[in-house]
Amino acid sequence: MKKTALVLALGLVLALLCSCGSPSIVGTWSATTELLGTEYETTYVFNSDGTGSESVLGITASFTYTVEGNTVTLVASILGTETTETFTYSVEGDTLTLTSDGETLTLNRK
């Protein structure tokens, strides 16, 4: 009985420690941006299996991603060419902020 209680307590502690890491970016996020006087929506989808997609102006590109600390790295294959983009990110409530090369994109959870 004591052994079972100890195993359960250890499992609970490990679960709590794992949940204290970086906030999850898993989900669907979108932002409305203006370009040359026209508004358009950008949508990022981050799946829990490390895959995702970005949709802009009706064009959708698939990617894989990894998260380390406050950095997310996206790898996409566009027209046969692999591209890698790295962002620093933060999540506050339902807002995801991605920053790369001095440019910031603020998205809201859908």
Side-chain angles (χ1 to χ4, degrees):
M1 184 71 161
K2 285 183 180 181
K3 199 176 214 180
T4 302
L6 180 60
V7 169
L8 290 173
L10 182 58
L12 178 61
V13 169
L14 288 174
L16 289 173
L17 288 174
C18 291
S19 68
C20 293
S22 300
S24 175
I25 63 171
V26 172
T28 301
W29 306 85
S30 68
T32 301
T33 308
E34 185 176 320
L35 177 65
L36 302 173
T38 303
E39 287 189 346
Y40 64 94
E41 185 175 63
T42 300
T43 302
Y44 282 87
V45 177
F46 293 94
N47 300 311
S48 61
D49 65 356
T51 63
S53 62
E54 176 186 11
S55 298
V56 181
L57 298 171
I59 300 169
T60 301
S62 297
F63 58 77
T64 59
Y65 73 93
T66 55
V67 175
E68 281 190 37
N70 69 336
T71 302
V72 59
T73 302
L74 280 62
V75 179
S77 181
I78 301 171
L79 299 174
T81 302
E82 188 173 278
T83 61
T84 301
E85 192 164 11
T86 301
F87 299 92
T88 56
Y89 80 95
S90 64
V91 176
E92 291 185 30
D94 288 333
T95 303
L96 169 64
T97 304
L98 299 174
T99 304
S100 178
D101 296 328
E103 298 288 326
T104 298
L105 178 62
T106 302
L107 302 121
N108 296 304
R109 189 180 300 272
K110 282 184 117 179

